[in-house]
Amino acid sequence: MAKQMSEAKFPIRLTGQPLGFAELLVIGDGRASVSAEPDGMARVRAARAVLEQAIADGMPVYGATTGVGAMKDIEWSSDELDQFNLGLVRAHHFGTGDPFPTEVVRNAIAMRVNTALTGYVGCTTELVESYLALLEADVIPIVRRTGSIGCADIGLMGQIGAVLTGVGEAVYRGRRMPAEEAFKAAGLSSQRMAPRDGLASLSVNSVSFAAAARIMRGAAGALRVLLATGLTAAGAMGASRDPWLAVTHVGTPREAMIGSWLLNASQGWAWPSGTHVQDPLSLRMIPQVFGAVFESVLTSGHKILAATGRSDDNPVIADGRVLTSGGSLPLDVTVLMESAVLCMAHAARNSFNRCVLLGNGQRRDLPVNLVPPGAIATGFGPIIKLAGDIYSRVLSMSNPVSAQSIVVAGGMEDEAAFLPLVVERFERQVRAVRRLAGLEALLAAQAMDLHGDEPGGAVGLIYEVVRKHAAFYTIDRALSAEVEAIEEELASDAFLAKLIAISPIHAIDDFFALGGFGMQAIKT
C-alpha cells in the first residue's frame, strides 16, 4: 500500500535547510513522497546521544525528566519517565474549534521533521520516522485551530503528537476517524514517547508557520488579482498611464516593478484618457500602494521560509550540552505578518476608492451608479456600499495584537506573540480582498460596456470572467449570486494561472509558486 501511494509523487528529501513555497505546496497537497536526508538523521542521533548522556549523568532536563511550565522543578524517577512523557503529549491535546485544512497539518509535520534534522533537538530518530510514516500513509491528524498563544504551539502540535500515541482523531482516505482506527487501517503503530520526545512533539510553532505560509501564498495570489482588477478599473475610467511610467524612473524597486507591469499589461488596449492635468490618487498611486504591499508580503514570506529550517525548541542541544532556550517565541514572523495585515488594509482602501470613482459619474462621463442612459434603475449604488463594508472589515483587523499582555504558568511564561490569531485575522482579510476584487471587476466591466471598450490581455481575462457570470446591467436585479460567482472564479488557481501566463510578475509568481509556476526546481 505504501508503494502504491508513493507512485507519481514528487520526491522531497528534507535536509534541515529552509523549505520553499513550491515544496510546501506539493507536501501540503499530499503530492510528495517525503524522506529525511541521511546526514540529517545522523545529526538527530548525535544530538540524542548528548541528551541521553546528560540524563545518565543525573542532569535535570526540562520537559524530559522534569515537569514543564509551573511544574519545571518537579523531577521524575526513571520508572516514571515513560508515563510522564506519554501523559505530557496527551495533556496538550486541548485545542478546540474548527480544524485546520489537511494541507496545513501535512506541512506542519514536515516542518517538525525538518527542524529536527538541524541536530539541535535531542529527540529520537524513532520520533522523526513516526512523523514521516504519517505522511507516507497520509494519516493526517485533526488539529483544531484554537489553542496557542504563539509561544510554541503546544495546544496545536499536541494534537499531532497525541495522534502519534494512538489517541485523538485523524483523516484517512478522506474520512475523519479516531486515530486508533486510522492507524489500524493504515498499518501503522503508535509511538512510545521516550524522554524528550514528548516535549519535542509539541513545543514548537510548526502549525503556525505552516498556516502562515499557506495564507501568505494565498495573499500573494489575491493581490495579483486585485492588481489586475485595479488596472481594469483604471482603464475603464480613462486613467493616464504617465504616473506609471514616471514611477519606473523615480520609484522604489517594488514600485517600479508594479509600474512596469501596469504599462506592459495595458498594451494593446488604447483606452481614451479622461484625465485633466491629474488623476485621483487611487489611480496614480497604484504602483506605490501595491509596491509597498508586495514588499511586505515578500519580506514576510522570506521570514516564514527561514523558520522552516530553524529549531525553535526548548531545550536545545548545542556545544555538546543541553541548553535551555527562549527560541519558542516567533516574534520575528509575527510582527512582519502584522505589517502585512496593515498593508492589506491599504490595498483594500485603494480598491474601494476606485469602486467609488466608478460609481460617482465623474470619469469619462460615466453615468451615476453606472446606469445606462434612459434606463429606469438604481444601478450599482447599493453595491458600492458592500464594497465599503468589505473594506471596513479588512481595516478592522489591522490593529496589532502581538504586544498584548499575558502571564500564564505561574508567572513562568509572560511573553507571547499570538501568531495563530494574527494568521486567522490575515485569512479573513484575504477572503475579503478576493470579494472586493470581484466587485471592482463587476463595476469596471459595466463601465467598459457603457463606452464600448474592447479590452485585451489581462484586462480581457477579467472582463470575460465578469460577463460569464453577470450580464450588462440595464434593469435592477439581485446581484449576490453573481458577485460570489465572479469572486470564486477570480480566486481560482485556474484563473490565476491564465493571468500569470499572460502578464507575469516573476519576483512574485516564482517565489510563491503561483499558478503552478515556481515548481520547475521540484520537477527537475
Side-chain angles (χ1 to χ4, degrees):
M1 182 192 69
K3 182 178 184 298
Q4 241 182 3
M5 292 190 66
S6 65
E7 287 178 353
K9 290 190 174 185
F10 292 101
I12 293 181
R13 177 165 286 187
L14 303 177
T15 66
Q17 294 299 306
L19 299 168
F21 279 100
E23 293 167 303
L24 293 175
L25 177 62
V26 295
I27 293 172
D29 286 348
R31 293 181 287 140
S33 177
V34 184
S35 61
E37 180 192 50
D39 287 349
M41 292 297 277
R43 289 190 291 271
V44 172
R45 284 189 287 271
R48 182 67 188 180
V50 172
L51 182 127
E52 289 182 347
Q53 186 61 54
I55 293 175
D57 292 343
M59 173 184 171
V61 178
Y62 178 78
T65 64
T66 77
V68 297
M71 300 179 68
K72 67 181 180 64
D73 294 322
I74 296 177
E75 295 188 45
W76 310 103
S77 70
S78 57
D79 294 336
E80 298 169 327
L81 290 184
D82 278 359
Q83 181 179 345
F84 164 69
N85 280 276
L86 178 65
L88 179 66
V89 174
R90 293 180 174 179
H92 286 84
H93 189 307
F94 60 76
T96 59
D98 295 332
F100 282 102
T102 52
E103 63 192 275
V104 169
V105 182
R106 287 191 187 97
N107 279 328
I109 294 171
M111 288 180 189
R112 169 65 289 193
V113 170
N114 199 51
T115 55
L117 297 179
T118 61
Y120 291 112
V121 179
C123 65
T124 64
T125 55
E126 288 78 12
L127 180 64
V128 173
E129 289 163 354
S130 291
Y131 280 124
L132 292 173
L134 286 183
L135 293 177
E136 178 66 19
D138 205 32
V139 173
I140 308 304
I142 293 293
V143 180
R144 297 163 181 83
R145 297 188 64 116
T146 307
S148 170
I149 60 175
C151 192
D153 288 336
I154 54 175
L156 308 181
M157 288 298 295
Q159 296 174 68
I160 300 175
V163 165
L164 285 179
T165 72
V167 301
E169 296 175 281
V171 173
Y172 180 61
R173 294 188 173 177
R175 289 204 309 110
R176 181 171 174 169
M177 61 185 74
E180 186 177 14
E181 183 180 331
F183 272 37
K184 183 177 180 180
L188 298 178
S189 300
S190 59
Q191 168 75 17
R192 165 188 170 263
M193 286 295 170
R196 181 70 184 106
D197 281 358
L199 193 60
S201 70
L202 60 94
S203 188
V204 290
N205 296 285
S206 295
V207 173
S208 287
F209 293 149
R214 175 179 180 268
I215 195 55
M216 196 58 65
R217 180 175 179 272
L223 290 165
R224 283 288 275 111
V225 174
L226 191 66
L227 177 61
T229 63
L231 173 61
T232 305
M237 289 187 281
S240 170
R241 294 177 175 85
D242 286 354
W244 307 343
L245 177 59
V247 79
T248 65
H249 295 281
V250 299
T252 68
R254 294 291 178 227
E255 292 169 358
M257 177 185 78
I258 301 303
S260 294
W261 185 87
L262 291 168
L263 291 170
N264 293 331
S266 61
Q267 287 180 359
W269 178 27
W271 65 71
S273 175
T275 298
H276 179 68
V277 184
Q278 291 197 82
D279 285 323
L281 300 181
S282 59
L283 300 177
R284 275 190 283 147
M285 295 183 175
I286 294 176
Q288 284 77 11
V289 171
F290 279 85
V293 173
F294 277 121
E295 181 71 27
S296 178
V297 168
L298 282 167
T299 302
S300 298
H302 280 287
K303 185 62 70 173
I304 293 166
L305 294 186
T308 69
R310 181 184 71 231
S311 170
D312 55 346
D313 290 83
N314 176 41
V316 296
I317 310 301
D319 287 338
R321 298 171 53 201
V322 180
L323 305 174
T324 186
S325 169
S328 58
L329 184 71
L331 195 57
D332 58 342
V333 171
T334 305
V335 295
L336 286 176
M337 283 207 68
E338 285 191 316
S339 176
V341 166
L342 178 60
C343 282
M344 292 296 281
H346 282 277
R349 183 180 67 184
N350 189 235
S351 176
F352 170 64
N353 288 341
R354 286 190 298 273
C355 290
V356 173
L357 288 175
L358 280 163
N360 68 9
Q362 295 181 15
R363 298 288 304 180
R364 284 183 75 188
D365 297 321
L366 289 168
V368 173
N369 290 349
L370 300 174
V371 175
I376 301 173
T378 299
F380 287 96
I383 209 168
I384 294 174
K385 292 181 173 64
L386 172 59
D389 174 79
I390 293 171
Y391 161 60
S392 296
R393 290 172 186 270
V394 175
L395 180 63
S396 71
M397 289 175 272
S398 63
N399 291 329
V401 297
S402 64
Q404 62 185 321
S405 178
I406 188 167
V407 178
V408 294
M412 283 297 299
E413 298 171 7
D414 52 5
E415 290 287 348
F418 300 97
L419 178 55
L421 178 57
V422 173
V423 169
E424 186 174 323
R425 282 151 52 103
F426 196 49
E427 289 172 343
R428 292 169 64 189
Q429 285 188 312
V430 171
R431 289 195 298 269
V433 162
R434 286 173 174 152
R435 180 148 298 171
L436 199 53
L439 291 178
E440 186 172 22
L442 177 62
L443 294 169
Q446 179 76 4
M448 286 189 288
D449 279 347
L450 284 167
H451 281 288
D453 294 331
E454 296 181 359
V459 175
L461 283 180
I462 298 286
Y463 177 85
E464 288 171 8
V465 169
V466 173
R467 287 296 170 245
K468 176 180 175 181
H469 300 288
F472 180 66
Y473 197 105
T474 56
I475 59 174
D476 290 328
R477 65 178 190 256
L479 291 173
S480 299
E482 294 178 8
V483 168
E484 291 174 348
I486 294 167
E487 172 200 351
E488 182 178 355
E489 183 159 349
L490 290 180
S492 69
D493 289 338
F495 175 80
L496 188 58
K498 291 179 184 178
L499 175 63
I500 291 172
I502 290 177
S503 297
I505 305 178
H506 294 296
I508 304 296
D509 307 331
D510 295 348
F511 177 68
F512 286 105
L514 298 180
F517 295 84
M519 295 180 61
Q520 291 83 354
I522 292 179
K523 291 180 180 179
T524 56

